[in-house]
Amino acid sequence: MEKNKTVKIGGASAFWGDTNNAAAQLVHSKQIDYLVFDYLAEITMSILAGAKMKNSELGYATDFVKQVAPLLQDIKIQGIKVVSNAGGINPQACREMLLDAAKKANVELNVAVVEGDNLLDQKDTLQALPVKEMETGSSMPENVMSINAYLGASAIESALKEGADVVITGRCVDSAVVLGPLMYEFGWKSTEYDLLAAGSLAGHIIECGAQCTGGNFTDWHLIKDFDNMGFPIVEVQANGDFIVTKPENTGGIISFGSVAEQFLYEIGNPNAYILPDVVCNFTNVTIKEIGVNRVLFSGAKGIAPTSTYKVSATYLSGYRVTVPIIIGGINAVKKAQITADAIIKKTQRMFKENGWSDYTDKKISIIGTEAMYGHNALPVKPREVLLRIVATHNQKEALILLSKEIAQASTGMTPGFTSMLGGRPSVSRSIRLFSFLAPKNSVETVVDVCDKRFEIDNGNEFSNIEDLQDIEIPIQDLQPTDSEVSLLKLAYGRSGDKGDHCNIGIIARQSEYLPYIKNFLTTDRVAKHFAHVLQGDVHCWDVPGIHALNFLLKNSLGGGGMASLNIDPQGKAYAQQLLDIKVPVPSAIAEEIR
């Protein structure tokens, strides 16, 4: 290994459906050694499972082949290797389509496949055990569509060792598509946990694409050229330190704030961020701006991983429909509420007449009235609103009836009904998530590359990690606070989902602001602020390396992304709501901010 070797990895996708131009931007920059793509979320797995049921040749992220195919000659000439979890539940089909594209481009490729994450054929065994849901302790339901373990980076490393130019996996933890290449390039051992934690952090920073280059940034007003956002590149050294940057002449920004927000995004406990290869401790990670659009990370630590894989299953649970109606004019809010109540009451009566049960769940929201703010909403009198009705039922026919009966509101209810967005709403299957832990020794991870198939050792050195524990953050004696400013002036913030829980990272803009934020932003105060959505406890951890706090609001998303009827099912706007809160500070700080 070269002493001063640097490995450069570009992140071209944050999810299935991300922009089509990121891969080309990164390849044409001629700045990368690896091109990586992250496509899979829990709901994506269920969509892919449904696609494969209809067509055995589908079940993978088709965007991957479409984006890579036109770039194959450039990729080959530059010696770029490609790693992606685009395989979904049919990685072999994904490989065949890519090889077909390579043949048409007259490019020779060794394409490896990593298998073993798909546990659907073990459904009966798992149900019989029975496995228990991680949060509720319930048993696995019927109507399971997909069951996938979150695999780690070792199989990707092994595939590269065997000469793979492209590695296609099914479900793996997002950061593994970066850690695998780093283990291969630097020869990092599976027991060098500090290095594995650093490599995982590099992967975590770029796994959400442009979210670290200015996307969703608190200071969005500083961003230029949203239409040409730069996608991230990490330049990693053998000791695990890495620089985050982006191609020249692209939009966005790489700054302490933009990458710090992504750093805390959805990691939960920064003392014990559990991944398949390592349990990471990120509390003392430092972030330093070292040039224009260049930020240096260092300080990640790690310990041995746990003896289990996280496994996520998706299952069908009845049906759901979402109805969006625009209502305008005087008293638009009152008219919307009366219309919604009338539609629900009328259909409930019709259900009873047909011998059907009531809705299993329903939610009425009037968007334009600060509906997502709950008790924190400010009084408004809009003259146009979006009435949103979401309902679930065990029978499809019941929701079809609802979707038809809504039309009567245009002529038979309150005035101002202008349109249903998208026309009459369609009824879809309601998909829910069931997550559990499975022993690593029960999962066979197989690499298929260059006409060879071999199994990967899932490790034998493990740590026991206790359940989440709050670290008490003591109140400090500070200067008298005779002024107050919004948290937005003191901190950056970003939020996102972890199942039914919401993670909110708050990073002080200046280290001297943090004590005042800590004293005011207690778990009790955060719980009260989000009382309209919170069903569980609030946890908080100190992140001194970047003078930050990381909050976890348990059971605050109405069941989480696939199951939730909330306006914000993934908590993406929770940090924006919290940044509105007023924080007491000394007049000197208030004056400095002004």
Side-chain angles (χ1 to χ4, degrees), residues 78 111 140 215-216 267 296 390 398 406 434 449 459 461 464 572:
Q78 293 183 45
V111 182
M140 184 182 290
N216 285 328
I267 67 170
L296 174 67
V390 189
I406 290 163
F434 180 93
V449 58
E461 183 176 321
N464 291 318
K572 301 297 186 183

Side-chain angles (χ1 to χ4, degrees), residues 82-193:
V82 180
V83 183
S84 174
N85 60 9
I89 62 168
N90 200 353
Q92 293 287 356
C94 185
R95 172 165 64 179
E96 290 306 312
M97 290 301 294
L98 183 62
L99 287 173
D100 184 57
K103 185 177 180 181
K104 292 176 181 176
N106 198 28
V107 173
E108 285 192 17
L109 287 179
N110 290 326
V111 182
V113 163
V114 176
E115 300 174 325
D117 64 294
N118 190 349
L119 307 181
L120 189 60
D121 60 355
Q122 299 181 34
K123 178 182 70 171
D124 293 342
T125 301
L126 294 168
Q127 287 174 324
L129 286 176
V131 295
K132 300 293 184 181
E133 211 281 331
M134 291 173 61
E135 296 292 335
T136 66
S138 60
S139 298
M140 184 182 290
E142 299 297 328
N143 300 320
V144 171
M145 291 187 67
S146 64
I147 308 175
N148 294 85
Y150 288 72
L151 301 183
S154 295
I156 296 171
E157 176 198 20
S158 297
L160 294 169
K161 283 181 178 178
E162 292 295 327
D165 301 306
V166 179
V167 183
I168 298 171
T169 77
R171 194 64 170 109
C172 66
V173 67
D174 301 347
S175 55
V177 298
V178 169
L179 178 59
L182 295 176
M183 294 174 70
Y184 163 67
E185 291 285 347
F186 293 125
W188 292 348
K189 297 177 182 177
S190 61
T191 53
E192 293 182 301
Y193 299 120

